Amino acid sequence: MEEKKVIWITGASSGIGKALAIKFAENGWLVAASARRENLLNELKKINQNIIPFPLDVTEIDSCKLVAKDIIKQFNNIDILSLIHISEPTRPLYI
């Protein structure tokens, strides 16, 4: 049996990030879905069990490091990283 591919999508709670998460999950990928709004991530998991929530604020560097380690620990790999993030000038992206 072939191992499922893993994609980590930030900004997965809405818009393009949410659409990508659903599309990849429907195509058999394991989706590590990150966003600040955990409740919306949990709704995504109800849509498709291949979507696993990893709540995260990408402007917090220590949180990014911890979540990356958690994803790799759970899946052993990240095949694709998709950064969907609209940055405010005063809030840099740390992934």
Side-chain angles (χ1 to χ4, degrees), residues 15-40:
I16 294 169
K18 179 179 179 178
L20 279 174
I22 292 168
K23 188 67 169 174
F24 272 89
E26 287 174 346
N27 283 291
W29 286 62
L30 293 173
V31 178
S34 290
R36 289 178 293 180
R37 296 178 288 179
E38 188 172 359
N39 61 318
L40 296 179

Side-chain angles (χ1 to χ4, degrees), residues 47-77:
I47 292 171
N48 190 305
Q49 293 300 304
N50 283 340
I51 301 173
I52 298 87
F54 288 88
L56 172 68
D57 181 340
V58 296
T59 66
E60 296 177 8
I61 191 166
D62 292 333
S63 294
C64 292
K65 291 177 184 178
L66 288 173
V67 169
K69 287 180 184 178
D70 288 346
I71 292 169
I72 292 169
K73 182 178 179 181
Q74 184 165 341
F75 301 120
N76 298 317
N77 191 29

